[in-house]
Amino acid sequence: MASRASTPAAPAGVDEFAQQLNQLLLQQRSILSGNIHLVGLSKIRDQLGDEWPRIADRAQDVAYKVIQRMCRPNDVFTRYGELSFIIIFSDLTADQAQLRCHDIGEEIGRRLLGENFAAEATDVSTGVFESDGSLVFNAVSKEELIQRLTGSATLATSPEVSGTEPDLETPDFSFAQLDKAKALASMEVMYRPMWNLRHKVIATYFATVGATNVFGDRLWDTALRREYQGVLSTAEIDIFIARRALRDLAANVAQGQKVLLGWPIHFETLASRAGRQAYLDLCRTIPDAVRQLLVLEIDGMPEGTPQSRLLEIIAVIRPFCRGQNIRVPWTFRNFGQMTGASLNGIGFDLAAAPRNDTERIRILNEFAAAADKVGLRYYAHGLNSRAQALAALSAGYEWIDGDAVNRLTDIPGKMTRFNIGDLYSGL
């Protein structure tokens, strides 16, 4: 942490907040110390200068929504004054919570400053109770935090200490060091708006899971699942996504915004007895009216799976949703086994494909041609350029998503008309 000389002044109301905590948790002050965190917007206000009064309300609203999305149900946060938010994380260590606060601050910075965003655009500090009972907030920088987290590994590989050449590999601070509760607490679900090309509308939002590792790298879905191996099973991550997506969809329905919602279920989850039972127990709690809004995607089907096995897996989830899709690798061509399965569509994710437009357009066209031969509808995730989106439109794709269409959203949005003009105006 920074020296006391750099300690920021506590925002108005912090004393009252500390008194309330003291009354409620009189015997647990040692637990609270180091777990009360402050995210402030004063640096953003200073950078915006004369523009701040005009966008102050929006800035507070953006900050509130970012914090709400990145906090878990058992976390507590509150706004104090014009520029500050106090957060208490229920399941994170002090270091993990500080990294989460920096992640929150950086997301707020991106939302408000756009291309002018710079790292540490927000103030992040941690509250510590002094021996006299006072609550003092000490500033902590992300750089200091990462140095502290990686310090022991750096020391162990230092030639001065070990007498050997330094290890050039990055120290392993993977999620494998977390227990299940902390791994789950680190995850978040966001939504890809999917463009229905035939009807020129965004009506489906597809849930995807992500998290930030200790080095600040964003990991989405497949990369995150690799990082979590040995901590969480595929079924546990699938169930986490489903629960969070159902919660967010319920908020939409309550506001009268009924849209279709999709999320992935891995073949492995439904193929194992324990995973299938846990997943179906969740599905049985979904009201019939909500089931009519769900389009579920089976992912990770092994090559060479018999059609009878695929039909069995599809039959398991059919009662709980409006329709089923299946995601395959972009190199997949054995479409014959998909016929007769009553699928909504078959699709793939371009994330693992070559990055250049020429190769991606070739992949889109070849996949479409192969699916057309057997009469299947098809879709693609992860298109990242207008050229790819236009190629998908020409090739007859049913749905596409990715940065070429729209960015990830915090919650499922509303049904929106979307045509080629919107595609051009959004890029």
Side-chain angles (χ1 to χ4, degrees), residues 348-421:
F348 63 98
D349 195 329
L350 276 169
R355 301 293 295 176
N356 65 81
D357 275 346
T358 301
E359 280 299 299
R360 289 192 165 199
I361 290 171
R362 179 187 61 80
I363 290 166
L364 287 163
N365 288 333
E366 290 182 359
F367 192 95
D372 270 333
K373 287 181 180 179
V374 293
L376 290 171
R377 296 195 295 179
Y378 38 95
Y379 64 94
H381 294 304
L383 284 70
N384 62 5
S385 76
R386 183 186 296 133
Q388 293 166 31
L390 293 176
L393 179 62
S394 299
Y397 277 76
E398 196 77 18
W399 311 277
I400 59 172
D401 66 34
D403 289 342
V405 177
N406 217 326
R407 294 182 179 179
L408 291 166
T409 63
D410 300 342
I411 58 174
K414 60 184 179 179
M415 192 175 298
T416 308
R417 300 297 304 176
F418 193 93
N419 55 37
I420 292 179

Side-chain angles (χ1 to χ4, degrees), residues 18-91:
Q19 290 172 10
Q20 292 172 16
L21 291 175
N22 187 41
Q23 293 170 1
L24 293 172
L25 298 166
L26 186 61
Q27 305 303 318
Q28 300 185 51
R29 179 165 293 186
S30 62
I31 297 175
L32 286 173
S33 188
N35 282 300
I36 302 174
H37 305 277
L38 180 71
V39 175
L41 308 182
S42 61
K43 290 181 180 177
I44 291 178
R45 178 197 60 186
D46 294 344
Q47 185 164 341
L48 290 170
D50 294 340
E51 286 292 300
W52 174 258
R54 185 177 62 82
I55 70 156
D57 290 342
R58 175 174 172 270
Q60 292 166 3
D61 184 57
V62 166
Y64 185 92
K65 288 180 178 178
V66 169
I67 294 170
Q68 183 180 48
R69 175 173 60 79
M70 300 184 73
C71 284
R72 307 304 169 193
N74 293 330
D75 298 338
V76 178
F77 67 94
T78 185
R79 192 175 80 188
Y80 275 91
E82 183 186 18
L83 299 172
S84 304
F85 291 81
I86 288 179
I87 312 172
I88 300 177
F89 297 99
S90 59
D91 298 318

